[in-house]
Structures are given as C-alpha cells and as structure tokens.
Amino acid sequence: MSDVALAIRDLTVEAGPKGRSVTLVDGVSLSVPSGKILALVGESGSGKSMTALAAMGLLEPPVRIASGGASLAGKAVDPTDRRQMRGIRGRDMAMIFQDPMMTLNPVMRVDEQVCEAVTVHDPSVSKAEALRRAREALVTVGIPAPEERLNAYPHQLSGGMRQRIVIAIALINRPAVVLAAEPTTALDVTTQGQILHEVKRLCRDTGTAMVWITHDLAVVASLADTIAVMYAGRIVEQGPADDILARPLHPYTRGLLDSVPMIDTRSERLRSIPGMPPVAGSITAGCRFAPRCERAVEACRTAEPALAPAGNGARLVRCIRPLDDGGAA
Amino acid sequence: MTLFILRRLLQGAQLMIVMSIIVFIGVYLIGNPVDILIHPAATQQQKAEIIARLGLDRPLWEQYGQFVMGALRGDLGTSYVYRVPAFGLILKALPATMELALSAMVIAIVVGIPLGLWAGYRPHSIPAQAITAFSILGFSLPTFWVGLMLIVLFSVDLGLAPSGGRGATVEVFGIPLSILTLDGLRHLMLPAISLALFKIGLVIRLTRASMQETLRQDFVRFARAKGVPEHRVVVSHVFRNILLPIVTVVGMEFGSLIAFAVVTETVFSWPGMGKLIIDSISVLDRPVIVAYLMFTAFLFVLINLLVDVAYSVLDPRVRLAGR
Amino acid sequence: MALVAPASAAAARRPSRLERARRWAVAFCRSPQAALGALLLLAVAIVAIFAPWLAPQDPYDLASLDLMDSRLRPGEVGSGGMYHWLGTDDQGRDLWSAIVHGLRISLGIGLGAGLIAALIGTTVGVLSAYWGGAADTVIMRVVDFQLSFPAILIALVLLAALGPGIEKVIFALVAVQWAYFARTVRSTALVEREKDYISAVRSLGIGSRRIVFGHLVPNCLPTVLVVAAVQVANAIALEATLSFLGLGLPVTQPSLGLLIANGFQHILAGRTWISAYPGVALVLLIVAINLVGDRLRDMLDPRSGT
C-alpha cells in the first residue's frame, strides 16, 4: 500500500488575535494509505478534532491554520483555500461527527440531505438518479428498507440508524478519505460494534482511507491499522496499531492504556494519569507531558524531544526515556 | 390534532369569560357617563329617565348579565355619543387598523429578517455591530416620538408624505383599503414604518440570536463537510430551521401591533380602532370602550390559536409526534 | 454562629468588597457600548438629581413665565434676558429647564414603578416556586393571563378607569409589570429550590421564612436585576406614551411624554423643537438603560454565555 490517500504536513493551528495567539495544534504530520484506518488518539483538548477540522478547511474564526499543508491522493491541497476546499469537501474528503442526533438537519427529510451530497458536487445529476444513488448508499451501509428511511425525518430514526445514514452520506461520492470524529461514542455498545464492523468492511471494500478520531483505545484495538497519539497539540507516538497497543513506548500512551479496561491485556488494575493536560497557551519549555510523567528527569523539563524513529523504525516516539521494555513493570 | 384545537378553543372561551368580567367591572369604574351625556341644565326627572333608559340604575350583576346576553348576540351596547351599535363602530374601524398592523408586520419581517441573518452570520463584523446597535435603538425609541419625528422629517421638512389620515381608499370586497391607491400608500407609509420600527428591532434580535445558535450546530458543520456552498448552508439549512420560531414569535406579536396601533393612530389621525378607543375614553363612551376591549381580547385569543395551530402543522417534529 | 464562622473566614481570604466591585466594574466596561451606556446613565442621573440647580428657570412657577417668550426658537434670548438654548414652549417655558425637570419625573416614575413591581413580583414568584402545587398553578395562570395581553392595553384600561395622577400611573405600571418579575423569578427559584444546599438548610430545621428570604430570594437577585433593567426602561417608555395620550400625568407635572405631547400641535407649523428635544432626552435615557441592561444580562445570565 504505497498510495497515500491523505497526508498532512506540519500542520499548526492557532486561535486568538495575532501576536497573542494560542497554539492548538503544533506541527502535526500524518498520512493514511488507501483502505487503511488511522486512529488519532488523545484526550479532549489534545487537538485531535482541530486537526481533522483544519484538514477539512472547516475551522471557524478565531481558530485558523497558521502553517502546514496537505495532499489528497497525491495532489496538493490548500485547506485555507475556501473555493478549492468547497469542491473537495464531501467529494474527495468527507467527515463524520460525534453525535448523530445533531448531525442531520432536523427539519429536512433524509432523502433531501442524502441527495444534496450528490447534487452539490454534480448539478447535472437528475433528481431520480440522485435518489437511486441515495438508496444504493443506504443499502451499502446496511440499512434495510432504504425507501422508508429516505422519506423520514431524522427524529423518526434511532441513533444508530442516523449514524448509518451519516456514514452513507459521507461515503456516497466515494471519497479518498473519511475523517471520523468519535462517531460511535454517542451510541450504545451493540450498535457501536455493528457500525465499527461495517466501517472496517467498507474501507477494505472501497479503498477509502479513514482517520478515526477517538479517546477510546478499546475501539482503536478492533479497528485501526496505525495509531497516532496526540498530547497537548503534539503527536507523541505513532506506529502500527498492534505494536503500540502491545508495546507502548511513550509514558503517556502507557498511561492511556492503563486507564482503559481491556480484556486481552495483562494489566489488572485501572490507573488514571495523575494531573491534568496543560491548557493551550500555558505550555512551557520541555516535554509537554513531563509535569505528569513518572519517568521525567531534569532533561525532560529543559528541552522538548523531537519525534524520533524508534524500535524497528516503523515507529516514532517523542520521548528521551521511552519505555523500551514495553512498560511491563 | 382535532383534540388539540378543541382544547385550545375551550381555553380561549375561558379567557373570554374572565376578560368580560374584568372589562365590565373595570369600565364600570370609569367616571359617571351621565355627567357628560346629560346637559347640565337638565332636570332631575330628565336625568333619571336617561339613567333608566341606559340601564345604569340596575345592580352591577344585572347589568353584567344583560351585557353577556347581548354580547352573545353580537350586541355590545349602543354608543352614547354616536347613538349606533358600538360593535358596528369597531367593525367599521377594523380594516384601517388591520391594514396598518399588517403593513407594519410585513415591514418588520422584510427588513428585520435579512438584517438579523446578516448580523448573526458575522457577528463581529462592522455592519453586524451597526445592525445590532440599530436594533437596540429600535427597541428604545418610543413609538409615538418616532411617529412625530417622521412627520417632522417627511411631512414638514421634506413634504414627501402627508401627516395624517388615510387618503384615498379602494373598496375590495366591501373593505376600504388605502394600500391600493398611490395617495393611500403615501398616507400609510409613515404610520406603518413608525409602528414597525419597534418590531424590526425585535425581529433582528431574534433572528440574530437564532442564527448564531443554529450556526454552532453540528448539522451545519456536516452540511459544510458535504461540500454545500455557504449561501446554501445559510438559506436551506440554517434559515429553514429558524424560520418557524421566528414566524411564531412574529405571529404572537401581531396582537401587540394592534395594541400599539392605539398610539400610532393617535399620532397620525389614522381612523382605526385605536383612535376610536382613545376618543371614546376621553368622552367616557363606555359601550365603545367595552366593545373595543372585548373585540381585542377576542382577536388575541384568535391569533394565539392560529399561531399554535400553524406551528403544529408546519413543524415536522411536532406534526408527526401528534399523529 | 459556629456555622457562620468558616464562611467569614473564607470571606477574609477573598479580595475586599471594594476590590471585587472594582474588578466587576472593569469587566462591565469591557464592552464599549455598555461603558457608554453607564456613562450616559450616570450623566442623566446627575441631571435628574440636581435638576433644580441645573435648570435656569423653575418650570412649575407660572409667575416666572412670560407668554411673550412663548415658542422661542433654540438659541433665542427671552424678554428677561434669559438665553434659551433649546428654545421655549407655548407657555414661554424654557425647554431646557422643562426637560431637566421632566427627566427627573420620568426617571423617578420608572425607578419607583420598577422597584415596587420587582418587590411584588419577586415575592410572588419565589413563593409560587416555594409552595408549588395548586398555589403555584393558580398564580402562574394569573401571570400567564396577564402576559397574554400587551402592557400598553392593560395600562390604558387601568388609567382610563383611575384618571390621571402620578400615583395612579405608578400603580398602573406596577400592575402591568409585576407579572414579568414573577414569571422570571419563579423559574429561577424553581432551579434554586432543587439544589442541594436548600435541602441541607432544610435539614438544619431552619424555618420556611428564612429559607425563602434568606436563601431563595438572594439567589434570585441577579435575575431580578436583569429583568429590572428592562422593566425600568419599559416603564419610562410606557409612562411617556400614556402621558402623550393624555392618560398619564396631570398637566401640572410635565414628564417628558407630556412635553412631547405639548409640542405635537406645533409640529405642523414647523416649530418642531418643542417635541424633538424632550424626545431626544427620553431616548437617551431609555437607550442608556437598555445598554446597561444588555450588558448585565450578558454578565449575570449564565445561559447567554458570552
């Protein structure tokens, strides 16, 4: 898999007036190959959602992209170019949001909302043709009796059904990549499982890449091919999912794993990471995780480590004292 | 749905009964009409005759009973001054008031909604701040003074519009209307604008707030993520969501437009119900006052009912839940 | 007393009352419109309080008026050598003096009516929320009934029945406005009542009167303040309107509305200043209160969240 669906390079997102601005995302680079799923993991406020919104060109003032670029299926795109992004969004690059109850317009019927995704990118498509594709898209995401769902208003459908429709809308134009911002956290566990399974199958079948933004490592384990862990606007660890879950290198990743109940790990006790993540704008010199890190030494507080290759080379970690033994204490 | 309307009708009827009692007792307290109606030189006997003829010597509850019986037949008494049925006087003045209030409402909507949308879309831009400031001003300017200043500017200084009266009217289905003649339109212009100004401020603030709130919703973001162009996001996603609450509030406000027409009609000598009631209060023409209040109360009940029904018919969420 | 001691110890560690007031004022003035409104309001209040010293003429002293001076244009000098920079009305009254005194009356009536309505409405609203049940239902029915009719219509009927006079105008305004306070305060008090500390206070065996007036009422005060700002502005506008219609104040106590009404008949003759300037004063007063009120709502109402 060498064809990269989405690549983000050195993305920096800021908010606030020039000169006194606060950095929310700091030099983040990511890439996802077609048909693969990248999990972007972090606590709320780590900048993971901002990264996705920035890539979509959906940031709203006062938040803005300070620097960085992206490429989509090999072609360079400029997320700050409104005109260009308008044509790309929903066609080459789609996004799914967290709460399906809020994602669909409550006063528009489902058919109109699905068809709209087709017709805004190709006005020549007839209404009948758009409807036919809408039905097809609903069937693809596993919705029985699509005709009935299309005629409904969103409030008449269950949360799981709505999220399936949202996914159908995101996939209807066969985008190169879908950015999903915690799309299953608002659903019950059974529905969540079904949808995760469905999404994984769809990515494999259609070759669509996916960036799955979440704070839930349990979801990541069953879904992702690669993982990028974000902390305070920075990527602190990156690599193949199985490796990272089995053998985290960064103490923060270790902390995240310890705080998640997982059946298949050896860890018996649940631990939370002490302290709170830094507030944007109050970041000091040194490693951003140092104040909460058990392994921190003096050097951690003076200079911020670079994101450097580790292990067999497929992994990257931003730590001068990584857990090379996999953290098995 | 039918049950809902029936229940609302019943509530309306209750409201009318309570209103009739309050109005009747309230108006009974207003001065003694006999002193005004009867010539000071009249003898005691003449006075007593008139009092008896008007039924003013009976106990209050009996007068109320008669009033209710009459009201049910559409008879709200005879004007002491004009010596014609009070209800007829009100009905004759109704078209003028309705024309004025409706014009003001249309102006408020046509001017207020676009300005509010704009102010809510880019709340930090200079025009948006100007619009917001204007809406506070519209809120703060007393209707009657705005009317006077419009007269000063357009009638006295510029001579563009007449300062009072209805101008030439055309009868449509027997209802005289000013808006269809050029002269009438010139007469209608100033009072309608002055009555609308307060509501423009209201509509702007309401639209602006709903716009800002709706823009923050995920479905707007999702529409953008689908690639929907910005103008379509505003028109077909945001606007469709906020239209209904705006229409509801504006509909509810129609009653207050009719009430405030009292002031505007006085300023512009507009021959509507409002001017009639002020004139009647100054000469203590009780039956007309009672008829006006009862009729206005009825209009309010009717408006609220219509708005409620319209809301439940138009909103898919309410409509389908009720089935 | 043991209960109170830790609280006062905590208060001692907090910045002083003066310091907190200063910080609050700084936060308030962060909005330029609000700062402008506050400044304007302060100026109007000073003018209203010191009216007798600021007005060159006593507008109520008919002996000092000279009909020869009637309807002088702004800037003209009257027979007594007095410079009328806003002109005079048809009685030969210096308009500036009349406005200054009228401002005093308008502001006084607005504040008076607003205060009484706030007192009554808050009491009723808090009690309604505290009692709940049938009493609450009945009270809210009355409130809803009243609020379904525009304020001006109710005031109009009341004043038509009562006749003109300051105390009657205030009565009519209070009768119209208490319901707004009652409705808003009730919903705030309902939220407050369900909070843990009220049940804690109850479990201490503190009487219902202390709960209502010692705990519920103080916690509703920010809401009351916000409603009061709006209602005082409304009361002033309503009084002016009623006086303009001839249903408000008697001619001997000219409020701004009456001054405007007096000028009405001269407008078509081109003598527009008699109505215009009192109106400007009225608008400045109402705008100032509304600007301040807007800011208060932004700062005190957690729901507006700006």
Side-chain angles (χ1 to χ4, degrees):
Chain A
M1 279 293 180
S2 61
D3 56 331
V4 174
L6 171 73
I8 296 172
R9 275 183 313 277
D10 269 330
L11 177 75
T12 299
V13 174
E14 289 180 350
K18 288 239 158 68
R20 287 189 291 131
S21 60
V22 173
T23 306
L24 301 172
V25 174
D26 199 350
V28 164
S29 298
L30 291 171
S31 74
V32 216
S34 298
K36 297 289 181 186
I37 299 177
L38 164 75
L40 190 55
V41 183
E43 289 167 286
S44 51
S46 59
K48 56 192 193 308
S49 304
M50 283 298 165
T51 305
L53 288 172
M56 291 289 288
L58 283 176
L59 293 178
E60 281 163 44
V63 184
R64 62 182 178 275
I65 295 174
S67 63
S71 67
L72 200 56
K75 282 196 286 282
V77 293
D78 177 7
T80 58
D81 182 341
R82 295 163 66 103
R83 182 177 286 271
Q84 186 193 19
M85 289 312 291
R86 217 283 291 153
I88 288 172
R89 277 199 298 263
R91 194 187 66 199
D92 305 313
M93 186 177 193
M95 188 157 180
I96 303 169
F97 295 89
Q98 179 170 7
D99 188 353
M101 300 299 177
M102 310 296 292
T103 312
L104 293 171
N105 191 330
V107 300
M108 277 166 97
R109 282 201 327 206
V110 170
D111 56 359
E112 194 180 344
Q113 303 194 49
V114 182
C115 292
E116 186 182 54
V118 176
T119 51
V120 289
H121 291 290
D122 188 359
S124 66
V125 174
S126 71
K127 196 162 189 299
E129 167 66 9
L131 263 173
R132 192 192 59 75
R133 285 178 58 183
R135 266 195 303 274
E136 203 179 273
L138 260 57
V139 171
T140 329
V141 294
I143 295 178
E147 207 64 61
E148 218 172 286
R149 310 300 176 208
L150 283 172
N151 279 320
Y153 282 95
H155 69 271
Q156 295 169 296
L157 306 171
S158 69
M161 188 61 73
R162 286 192 225 184
Q163 197 61 297
R164 280 169 198 269
I165 290 169
V166 169
I167 294 170
I169 292 174
L171 292 172
I172 199 166
N173 291 317
R174 297 282 171 109
V177 62
V178 175
L179 305 170
E182 315 207 23
T184 56
T185 37
L187 304 173
D188 64 77
V189 182
T190 324
T191 319
Q192 186 175 334
Q194 288 170 352
I195 288 188
L196 289 177
H197 177 78
E198 209 81 62
V199 163
K200 196 160 182 158
R201 180 182 61 80
L202 283 168
C203 280
R204 211 178 40 227
D205 293 357
T206 60
T208 297
M210 183 163 284
V211 178
W212 194 275
I213 295 153
T214 184
H215 62 268
D216 187 349
L217 280 169
V219 167
V220 172
S222 65
L223 189 72
D225 298 299
T226 52
I227 291 180
V229 181
M230 276 187 84
Y231 184 78
R234 284 280 204 199
I235 288 183
V236 294
E237 180 161 13
Q238 202 170 347
D242 299 339
D243 276 8
I244 287 187
L245 291 173
R247 220 164 49 85
L249 291 176
H250 198 283
Y252 176 64
T253 316
R254 168 86 268 168
L256 276 185
L257 280 169
D258 283 346
S259 61
V260 174
M262 283 205 286
I263 303 156
D264 54 346
T265 54
R266 287 168 294 153
S267 172
E268 279 158 25
R269 50 198 179 123
L270 280 179
R271 293 193 316 176
S272 60
I273 307 170
M276 298 284 285
V279 179
S282 70
I283 292 164
T284 47
C287 173
R288 292 174 186 191
F289 187 61
R292 298 172 74 187
C293 183
E294 291 171 348
R295 299 168 57 87
V297 292
E298 201 41 46
C300 296
R301 299 195 176 86
T302 48
E304 190 182 12
L307 192 61
N312 56 11
R315 297 179 62 174
L316 295 168
V317 64
R318 191 188 290 278
C319 184
I320 54 169
R321 300 191 64 207
L323 299 145
D324 38 18
D325 58 353
Chain B
M1 194 70 199
T2 325
L3 196 72
F4 168 74
I5 293 176
L6 271 178
R7 202 180 316 135
R8 291 306 316 257
L9 277 175
L10 207 69
Q11 276 173 12
Q14 281 175 350
L15 207 65
M16 290 302 295
I17 294 170
V18 176
M19 197 61 194
S20 74
I21 296 172
I22 294 173
V23 163
F24 193 78
I25 295 173
V27 173
Y28 190 82
L29 294 171
I30 301 178
N32 185 353
V34 182
D35 297 341
I36 289 179
L37 291 169
I38 299 169
H39 198 265
T43 63
Q44 275 303 322
Q45 200 196 338
Q46 281 174 309
K47 270 190 188 175
E49 265 173 33
I50 293 172
I51 288 172
R53 198 181 71 223
L54 295 175
L56 294 174
D57 51 345
R58 312 252 179 79
L60 190 57
W61 63 267
E62 212 180 301
Q63 289 190 42
Y64 176 71
Q66 272 184 342
F67 161 72
V68 170
M69 295 310 290
L72 290 177
R73 278 181 272 114
D75 173 13
L76 288 167
T78 305
S79 162
Y80 299 156
V81 177
Y82 302 97
R83 312 216 171 268
V84 292
F87 190 51
L89 276 176
I90 299 286
L91 280 187
K92 229 177 97 196
L94 179 66
T97 298
M98 282 298 187
E99 184 173 35
L100 178 61
L102 277 172
S103 312
M105 193 161 97
V106 169
I107 293 175
I109 291 173
V110 169
V111 176
I113 289 183
L115 287 182
L117 287 177
W118 190 4
Y121 186 65
R122 288 268 177 268
H124 298 292
S125 67
I126 303 268
Q129 305 236 329
I131 291 168
T132 310
F134 170 75
S135 79
I136 293 184
L137 201 65
F139 239 58
S140 302
L141 291 174
T143 309
F144 70 98
W145 189 70
V146 171
L148 289 182
M149 291 305 108
L150 286 175
I151 292 179
V152 168
L153 188 62
F154 290 100
S155 305
V156 179
D157 289 349
L158 298 175
L160 289 177
S163 65
R166 252 191 115 175
T169 56
V170 180
E171 291 217 350
V172 178
F173 301 113
I175 299 165
L177 292 177
S178 295
I179 200 162
L180 295 175
T181 70
L182 199 64
D183 183 48
L185 201 60
R186 285 177 60 224
H187 281 81
L188 178 64
M189 203 167 70
L190 294 187
I193 291 173
S194 108
L195 187 57
L197 198 64
F198 186 84
K199 296 296 169 213
I200 293 178
L202 182 88
V203 173
I204 288 179
R205 288 170 77 102
L206 182 70
T207 313
R208 174 173 165 269
S210 330
M211 177 83 176
Q212 278 182 290
E213 199 184 312
T214 311
L215 277 176
R216 282 196 292 268
Q217 303 282 324
D218 264 356
F219 68 78
V220 173
R221 246 186 199 173
F222 186 58
R224 286 184 181 141
K226 282 196 283 188
V228 177
E230 205 52 26
H231 65 92
R232 245 195 87 133
V233 170
V234 171
V235 174
S236 74
H237 285 268
V238 180
F239 188 58
R240 254 163 82 172
N241 262 275
I242 63 178
L243 185 63
L244 201 57
I246 292 175
V247 165
T248 314
V249 172
V250 171
M252 292 289 189
E253 289 294 319
F254 188 63
S256 107
L257 275 177
I258 291 177
F260 263 97
V262 168
V263 180
T264 310
E265 288 175 9
T266 309
V267 172
F268 289 94
S269 318
W270 187 262
M273 303 192 315
K275 191 163 165 24
L276 181 69
I277 172 94
I278 292 294
D279 291 347
S280 301
I281 287 176
S282 62
V283 297
L284 294 180
D285 196 346
R286 269 191 206 167
V288 179
I289 301 174
V290 170
Y292 171 82
L293 292 174
M294 289 311 297
F295 185 67
T296 319
F298 172 72
L299 276 182
F300 281 18
V301 169
L302 191 70
I303 290 166
N304 286 355
L305 180 75
L306 288 179
V307 171
D308 272 5
V309 171
Y311 186 86
S312 59
V313 168
L314 291 175
D315 190 340
R317 282 159 292 188
V318 179
R319 182 175 67 209
L320 294 153
R323 249 183 214 165
Chain C
M1 280 317 286
L3 260 175
V4 181
S8 58
R13 258 180 278 115
R14 286 213 308 255
S16 71
R17 205 169 265 258
L18 195 73
E19 174 57 20
R20 269 185 291 152
R22 197 191 62 83
R23 278 186 204 169
W24 197 83
V26 168
F28 182 92
C29 292
R30 206 157 286 153
S31 150
Q33 290 108 317
L36 182 76
L39 208 66
L40 206 58
L41 195 59
L42 196 70
V44 171
I46 289 173
V47 167
I49 292 167
F50 297 104
W53 293 276
L54 285 171
Q57 187 189 58
D58 180 0
Y60 307 134
D61 180 12
L62 293 176
S64 75
L65 306 181
D66 189 341
L67 277 180
M68 290 289 290
D69 292 337
S70 68
R71 302 190 290 267
L72 288 179
R73 288 185 174 279
E76 280 184 315
V77 178
S79 56
M82 187 194 278
Y83 176 72
H84 301 289
W85 70 287
L86 291 182
T88 61
D89 71 1
D90 54 354
Q91 303 286 318
R93 206 180 270 144
D94 175 49
L95 212 51
W96 165 245
S97 306
I99 288 173
V100 167
H101 278 88
L103 213 52
R104 194 182 205 192
I105 296 179
S106 292
L107 190 60
I109 290 181
L111 285 176
L115 206 69
I116 300 173
L119 216 64
I120 297 175
T122 306
T123 313
V124 172
V126 167
L127 288 179
S128 184
Y130 184 75
W131 287 331
D136 185 38
T137 312
V138 170
I139 292 173
M140 283 304 121
R141 267 286 164 83
V142 173
V143 167
D144 284 342
F145 174 75
Q146 190 179 332
L147 290 182
S148 64
F149 294 96
I152 187 162
L153 209 62
I154 300 173
L156 204 74
V157 177
L158 283 174
L159 284 176
L162 297 170
I166 278 199
E167 67 289 347
K168 287 162 188 159
V169 170
I170 292 182
F171 173 82
L173 293 175
V174 170
V176 163
Q177 298 195 314
W178 73 275
Y180 293 92
F181 286 96
R183 160 79 76 77
T184 321
V185 167
R186 172 182 170 268
S187 46
T188 313
L190 271 183
V191 175
E192 214 52 59
R193 194 180 75 137
E194 299 310 318
K195 285 191 182 159
D196 287 344
Y197 80 93
I198 292 285
S199 41
V201 168
R202 267 186 176 166
S203 65
L204 287 173
I206 292 174
S208 60
R209 218 183 65 199
R210 290 249 335 250
I211 292 175
V212 169
F213 288 99
H215 296 272
L216 284 181
V217 170
N219 279 293
C220 293
L221 283 184
T223 317
V224 174
L225 198 62
V226 172
V227 180
V230 178
Q231 291 307 324
V232 167
N234 280 351
I236 291 172
L238 201 55
E239 179 274 317
T241 306
L242 292 165
S243 293
F244 173 79
L245 292 173
L247 293 165
L249 295 183
V251 206
T252 50
Q253 289 158 313
S255 71
L256 293 174
L258 214 55
L259 290 176
I260 297 169
N262 285 340
F264 186 20
Q265 50 191 314
H266 303 293
I267 274 187
L268 290 181
R271 287 184 280 270
T272 51
W273 66 90
I274 308 177
S275 281
Y277 294 124
V280 170
L282 181 64
V283 169
L284 284 181
L285 178 58
I286 297 174
V287 168
I289 298 176
N290 279 343
L291 286 175
V292 171
D294 253 28
R295 184 67 185 152
L296 282 181
R297 191 180 50 222
D298 284 351
M299 289 179 67
L300 296 177
D301 185 355
R303 276 168 304 172
S304 65
T306 35

